[in-house]
Amino acid sequence: MKLIEISKKLEEVIEKSDLYDSIKIFKNEFSILETSDLEKTILSMDEENRVLKIGIVGRVNAGKSSLLNALVFDGKDILPKAATPMTAALTKLEYGEIIEANVEFYTQEDIDSLKTYYNKYEEKFEKLKKEKLDELKEKEIKKLKVAEIDEYTKNNIEQKSENIANREMKKDEQLFSSYDQYSKIKASNLSLNELKKFENIQADNIDSLNKKLYDFVGADGKYMPFTKSVTIKLNNENLKDIEIIDTPGINDPIASREERTKELLKNCDVIFVVSPSGQFLSSEDIDLLDRITKKEGIQEIYIIASQIDNQLYGSEKEKNRGDLLKVLESIKNTLTKSMKDVITEQIKQFPYQEDIFDKFMKNDVLYSSGATYSMLQRFEDKENWDDNLNHIWKNLNQHYKDYFSDDLSAKANLYLLSNMQNIQNALKEVREKKDEIIRKRKEEFIKAKLNSFEQYNKSIQKDIKEKIEKIKSSDIKDIKTKKDNLLKVKSQTSEAVNWKYEDFLDANKQILKSSLNKEINKYFQNNNDEISKSEDTKTESYTKDHGFFSWKFFSDRYEKISYDIVVVKAGMIQNALEDLSLYIENSMKNSISEEVNSLKGNIYKQIMPVLEKNDGDKNLDLHQIQKSVRNIISSLRIPEINYTNKLPNELKKSGTLKGSEAEDFIERAKNYAKSFQRNIIRDIEKHLNTLFGSLKQHNLGEEIFSHYKKEIENLENDIENIEQSLLKNEYILKQLESIK
């Protein structure tokens, strides 16, 4: 097959030419698989009676497990106990006559491969640590103006160089993940022979299977480091003719799990992308859609807006006057419009994928609530509901009392919110088209991979051509001069870059802080206005009896006394406070995300004048400066921000309150808002300290000049052996050009 032939030839050239370090960025960009994986994937598509492979993907905590519990296990909480991937292992669900699990362990070949990466990591780490130590040592000697540094300073810079090397090495996710995995295998003191007896685990029931599986998939499980995947087989009609693959989140903080999820995509015929309706189609979701369509050739994709039960309150409820059906329809329309806006933008960027994206444009979003389906299935067992289900039930009864006033209505509306009928219909549809989907899947996979390999090869060729041109156009004297000049200006320029970098970060931190505080204060002012609008006074009266012997006799005996009391619409205040929490959370996330996105270009613009001013020969590698900045930004993690569902119970009231009860409620609401505002201002400071503190840990000047030094030394070596270097690179280029 042409695809396999191209893959083998490229691997051979890369291995013989030792291009691993220079091509890994391209390998990741174009989702390039090893030839062995490629062959296995294509062969699996040709298997007779092959089941349909369905992948459930999405962010961490997107509601994937709740959806699967509803689809496969009638709403029972099976997956969080048994199949949630807590480790690097993937979990597959299949049909079987008996309850069992087949554990796939890493093979000796896999472990040897991990060991190779482990050794490569250690070798690169030690080399990098030494380089950083020499640089820091040289810097300290110049700074202190001494011939030799003391023991205390030496220990300090040794620790600092180790920290820098650790941080740098973790950027290579594949290498670090392999190193981490093999470290755990090594520490376990177990052999593969000892694990053979555990390859098949049988149990009488699912609970028993859960307990037995912990040693293999639990975070502290004894055999966890060796576990590659777990296939759980259940005697469940819902699993016939299909294989469901439950994945870790695509934004998983553990690199090895996220990489494993990405690898999994190549094996799926159908993908269900689960995105929380409260943060629908984030940048991670859009990146995933791009990957699975463009790089993996998957055509059958369904987008599910999960956790719809969280969106039924606040402005949507007010806008539709508490009509549950209208609220649900309004949310669905908003989500569908959002999806179509995203897809339209994708079509503009990738017009050749219009046929694929057109499928989305024809359908509404499939919303879901796995939680409400679970509640429906366990309706008679409310005493065993967990806190989350009890919380959802309480909110539904408080805000939509008429829809949940009796068991029959409650069950009907829980089913409506779950939307399981439509999701099960989607599953039924793909099952019926199984053979057609598998046939087309193979065609599209091969087509997508051929395109990826072509772009991959062109990128490597371009890189080598630039290297050849640099070798030809450079002069050894100029290079040596450049190296000398670099060493002369390195210390001063590196410090100047770092000063400018830190000043820029401090200024941007203050600007963002001021902007956030201003926006937050505006939201709270609006919230105070909403609370004031909900407060009113009402005139009431009562009749006072002056008594039979009162001078106000007969008609004058009874007197009507009028007085004013405070009344308040409690539900309106509660909605305003809940909306406030949501607006604040989204505003902070969006503002910080936008800042992180803009930092890359802005940092680059700020440091360029400094480098141009201090670097005498002005032969700056602009691409590498951008790369250094990009590496720093890519290492950032947006702080966890969550203010929803934090309203105290005493403010969760509805209806009209009067008199002292109303006054007490308003006072509590205002005090809560003031306290909340103070906490938000404090949190802004904390989040920005974390974010910008992380940025300041990078020694940008050192990173840029370390690269320059390495590049110049490599170029110097190439020019000193110019004939051999040119012959070598031109030969590699010729080999790559011949691969078509």
Side-chain angles (χ1 to χ4, degrees):
M1 183 186 286
K2 184 180 177 182
L3 177 60
I4 302 300
E5 186 183 334
I6 288 173
S7 179
K8 282 180 178 176
K9 286 180 179 177
L10 276 170
E11 274 185 8
E12 189 178 344
V13 173
I14 289 162
E15 187 178 346
K16 285 183 179 177
S17 308
D18 194 24
L19 295 176
Y20 170 78
D21 285 334
S22 60
I23 60 92
K24 62 188 176 186
I25 189 170
F26 304 130
K27 192 172 183 179
N28 184 57
E29 183 180 348
F30 298 109
S31 300
I32 299 300
L33 303 172
E34 300 292 332
T35 303
S36 57
D37 287 337
L38 205 54
E39 286 179 312
K40 283 177 191 173
T41 303
I42 293 170
L43 281 172
S44 73
M45 293 178 183
D46 290 329
E47 287 175 7
E48 196 174 347
N49 300 320
R50 179 182 179 278
V51 296
L52 193 71
K53 296 177 186 283
I54 300 172
I56 310 291
V57 298
R59 283 172 270 161
V60 171
N61 297 325
K64 298 186 297 296
S65 292
S66 292
L67 178 68
L68 267 176
N69 282 330
L71 276 174
V72 182
F73 302 107
D74 294 326
K76 294 175 185 174
D77 291 332
I78 301 298
L79 287 174
K81 296 174 185 174
T84 299
M86 293 177 284
T87 70
L90 298 172
T91 306
K92 303 173 189 175
L93 300 172
E94 293 180 359
Y95 177 81
E97 294 297 328
I98 60 171
I99 296 174
E100 62 179 333
N102 293 326
V103 183
E104 181 190 3
F105 296 107
Y106 286 102
T107 63
Q108 190 57 53
E109 185 182 353
D110 290 328
I111 294 172
D112 290 343
S113 176
L114 288 170
K115 185 179 180 182
T116 301
Y117 283 116
Y118 174 91
N119 291 334
K120 191 184 284 264
Y121 180 95
E122 288 211 313
E123 182 185 330
K124 287 184 74 174
F125 174 78
E126 290 302 323
K127 185 180 177 184
L128 183 60
K129 187 171 78 169
K130 186 179 183 307
E131 284 176 7
K132 296 299 176 187
L133 181 61
D134 291 343
E135 287 174 14
L136 291 172
K137 196 173 181 180
E138 181 187 341
K139 191 175 178 180
E140 283 299 312
I141 286 172
K142 284 183 180 178
K143 182 182 174 182
L144 299 171
K145 297 179 182 179
V146 293
E148 191 63 43
I149 55 175
D150 59 54
E151 196 65 27
Y152 176 77
T153 306
K154 183 183 175 185
N155 289 337
N156 267 351
I157 63 172
E158 279 179 353
Q159 185 60 56
K160 192 173 181 181
S161 65
E162 188 168 330
N163 292 341
I164 294 170
N166 263 317
R167 193 164 61 239
E168 290 293 312
M169 290 298 295
K170 283 181 181 178
K171 290 176 185 176
D172 188 336
E173 290 187 354
Q174 183 181 6
L175 200 60
F176 177 72
S177 297
S178 300
Y179 168 81
D180 183 57
Q181 191 71 20
Y182 185 75
S183 298
K184 290 171 181 173
I185 288 172
K186 195 177 173 185
S188 72
N189 293 318
L190 292 167
S191 69
L192 284 177
N193 287 333
E194 295 176 66
L195 301 175
K196 284 184 179 177
K197 60 186 174 183
F198 300 120
E199 287 177 343
N200 180 266
I201 303 168
Q202 296 185 5
D204 295 327
N205 54 61
I206 193 68
D207 288 333
S208 175
L209 188 65
N210 287 338
K211 291 172 184 173
K212 291 181 179 182
L213 277 175
Y214 185 83
D215 276 342
F216 303 90
V217 298
D220 304 315
K222 186 178 179 182
Y223 311 113
M224 180 275 289
F226 292 88
T227 305
K228 194 172 187 178
S229 69
V230 175
T231 301
I232 298 174
K233 296 189 177 184
L234 303 170
N235 192 346
N236 186 314
E237 291 293 317
N238 293 330
L239 291 171
K240 277 193 172 178
D241 302 321
I242 64 171
E243 175 183 280
I244 295 182
I245 307 163
D246 186 27
T247 72
I250 54 172
N251 59 336
D252 199 309
I254 300 175
S256 60
R257 294 205 303 223
E258 183 159 4
E259 285 305 304
R260 184 73 63 181
T261 300
K262 290 174 181 176
E263 286 175 24
L264 161 79
L265 295 173
K266 69 182 184 294
N267 294 317
C268 293
D269 305 305
V270 180
I271 295 284
F272 282 80
V273 178
V274 183
S275 182
S277 52
Q279 296 172 334
F280 189 56
L281 290 183
S282 68
S283 58
E284 292 104 324
D285 296 327
I286 294 166
D287 287 344
L288 176 65
L289 283 175
D290 175 41
R291 180 188 180 93
I292 59 184
T293 52
K294 186 169 73 173
K295 298 172 185 174
E296 308 299 346
I298 297 167
Q299 300 264 310
E300 294 292 331
I301 304 162
Y302 293 84
I303 300 178
I304 297 177
S306 62
Q307 302 166 354
I308 196 76
D309 50 271
N310 290 334
Q311 304 305 306
L312 301 172
Y313 314 106
S315 58
E316 283 291 350
K317 180 192 168 192
E318 291 296 321
K319 184 171 69 178
N320 293 284
R321 299 184 178 182
D323 186 323
L324 181 61
L325 300 180
K326 287 182 179 178
V327 170
L328 202 53
E329 186 66 22
S330 176
I331 294 169
K332 187 179 81 170
N333 291 339
T334 301
L335 292 169
T336 298
K337 183 182 181 303
S338 176
M339 178 192 75
K340 290 184 176 180
D341 288 345
V342 166
I343 299 306
T344 301
E345 191 58 37
Q346 288 293 100
I347 291 172
K348 285 180 187 176
Q349 292 183 47
F350 311 108
Y352 57 88
Q353 292 179 272
E354 189 169 356
D355 289 345
I356 300 170
F357 289 128
D358 271 349
K359 292 182 180 180
F360 300 133
M361 301 294 273
K362 290 172 186 173
N363 299 317
D364 289 344
V365 166
L366 282 170
Y367 69 83
S368 79
S369 170
T372 59
Y373 192 75
S374 181
M375 291 160 71
L376 175 62
Q377 297 304 310
R378 299 160 58 196
F379 196 80
E380 313 303 333
D381 189 29
K382 290 191 186 74
E383 61 271 17
N384 289 319
W385 285 3
D386 60 24
D387 290 343
N388 181 50
L389 296 188
N390 280 315
H391 176 72
I392 294 169
W393 178 247
K394 183 180 177 183
N395 278 341
L396 290 172
N397 276 275
Q398 182 178 337
H399 291 274
Y400 296 96
K401 188 176 180 181
D402 292 344
Y403 295 86
F404 295 89
S405 57
D406 60 82
D407 287 356
L408 192 62
S409 298
K411 288 178 180 180
N413 287 305
L414 287 174
Y415 188 65
L416 175 72
L417 289 172
S418 74
N419 201 31
M420 274 307 128
Q421 181 66 51
N422 287 324
I423 295 171
Q424 284 165 346
N425 284 343
L427 195 57
K428 181 184 176 185
E429 183 183 324
V430 296
R431 289 173 107 145
E432 288 172 351
K433 296 193 299 181
K434 174 190 159 187
D435 293 338
E436 180 192 344
I437 289 172
I438 291 173
R439 178 186 58 77
K440 199 167 183 181
R441 168 77 185 107
K442 182 182 176 183
E443 290 173 7
E444 292 302 324
F445 178 79
I446 292 171
K447 183 179 172 183
K449 287 302 171 190
L450 276 169
N451 181 63
S452 291
F453 273 102
E454 184 183 349
Q455 298 304 316
Y456 176 55
N457 192 352
K458 282 180 180 177
S459 297
I460 301 172
Q461 287 180 42
K462 185 184 175 187
D463 200 50
I464 292 172
K465 284 176 184 175
E466 288 174 358
K467 189 175 181 181
I468 290 171
E469 188 57 38
K470 194 176 278 188
I471 294 170
K472 284 181 177 178
S473 62
S474 300
D475 180 86
I476 191 67
K477 287 183 180 178
D478 291 339
I479 294 300
K480 289 185 181 293
T481 302
K482 187 175 182 179
K483 185 179 176 182
D484 291 340
N485 288 342
L486 178 73
L487 294 173
K488 286 176 187 175
V489 302
K490 179 186 171 185
S491 178
Q492 180 184 343
T493 307
S494 179
E495 284 186 19
V497 165
N498 286 335
W499 288 335
K500 187 68 177 177
Y501 176 60
E502 289 193 14
D503 287 346
F504 169 76
L505 292 179
D506 287 338
N508 272 262
K509 177 183 171 184
Q510 289 306 314
I511 291 169
L512 182 57
K513 178 181 174 182
S514 175
S515 171
L516 277 171
N517 284 340
K518 186 177 179 181
E519 197 167 359
I520 297 307
N521 289 332
K522 181 185 75 176
Y523 281 136
F524 274 97
Q525 182 57 53
N526 291 340
N527 181 259
N528 288 335
D529 293 343
E530 288 293 315
I531 291 176
S532 298
K533 284 179 190 175
S534 68
E535 182 182 353
D536 201 358
T537 55
K538 182 179 179 182
T539 302
E540 292 195 348
S541 62
Y542 69 95
T543 302
K544 183 175 181 181
D545 182 359
H546 289 284
F548 183 78
F549 294 104
S550 168
W551 62 275
K552 289 181 176 283
F553 199 63
F554 296 114
S555 61
D556 292 329
R557 173 180 168 179
Y558 299 98
E559 183 181 4
K560 188 176 182 180
I561 307 292
S562 297
Y563 61 95
D564 292 335
I565 63 166
V566 175
V567 293
V568 65
K569 294 176 182 176
M572 195 171 171
I573 290 181
Q574 182 184 343
N575 289 338
L577 291 172
E578 286 176 344
D579 281 350
L580 176 70
S581 299
L582 186 61
Y583 291 148
I584 295 291
E585 182 179 315
N586 288 337
S587 176
M588 286 181 67
K589 283 177 180 175
N590 292 338
S591 296
I592 292 175
S593 294
E594 285 171 12
E595 177 68 11
V596 168
N597 288 333
S598 68
L599 276 174
K600 187 174 10 179
N602 289 334
I603 290 172
Y604 175 71
K605 288 175 187 175
Q606 290 291 317
I607 64 168
M608 275 306 301
V610 179
L611 287 163
E612 288 172 348
K613 180 182 177 183
N614 288 275
D615 186 8
D617 50 353
K618 295 191 177 180
N619 289 318
L620 298 171
D621 187 340
L622 306 185
H623 173 71
Q624 184 53 37
I625 296 168
Q626 289 175 320
K627 188 177 176 183
S628 297
V629 173
R630 192 163 62 245
N631 284 340
I632 291 172
I633 300 300
S634 65
S635 69
L636 288 175
R637 289 284 181 268
I638 304 298
E640 184 66 32
I641 299 169
N642 183 9
Y643 295 118
T644 53
N645 299 323
K646 298 285 179 73
L647 203 63
N649 288 330
E650 62 263 24
L651 292 177
K652 293 180 180 178
K653 292 185 178 182
S654 58
T656 301
L657 307 180
K658 296 180 182 181
S660 60
E661 187 182 11
E663 290 172 0
D664 180 62
F665 186 80
I666 291 170
E667 186 67 24
R668 285 175 184 272
K670 287 180 177 178
N671 288 339
Y672 170 77
K674 285 178 185 176
S675 174
F676 187 25
Q677 188 172 9
R678 285 195 300 269
N679 290 339
I680 296 292
I681 300 300
R682 185 196 64 213
D683 285 350
I684 287 172
E685 185 74 29
K686 182 180 75 175
H687 291 319
L688 294 186
N689 284 342
T690 300
L691 183 68
F692 285 89
S694 175
L695 283 166
K696 280 190 176 184
Q697 286 179 4
H698 291 272
N699 189 327
L700 185 60
E702 283 294 327
E703 288 188 26
I704 291 171
F705 280 95
S706 292
H707 168 77
Y708 280 168
K709 185 181 175 186
K710 194 177 292 182
E711 283 286 299
I712 290 170
E713 285 172 351
N714 289 341
L715 189 56
E716 183 181 17
N717 183 60
D718 283 335
I719 293 170
E720 284 177 345
N721 303 279
I722 189 165
E723 288 186 13
Q724 185 182 346
S725 297
L726 285 173
L727 279 172
K728 177 188 172 185
N729 284 289
E730 284 169 353
Y731 176 71
I732 295 169
L733 184 59
K734 196 172 181 179
Q735 284 185 302
L736 290 170
E737 287 173 339
S738 69
I739 300 172
K740 291 177 182 176

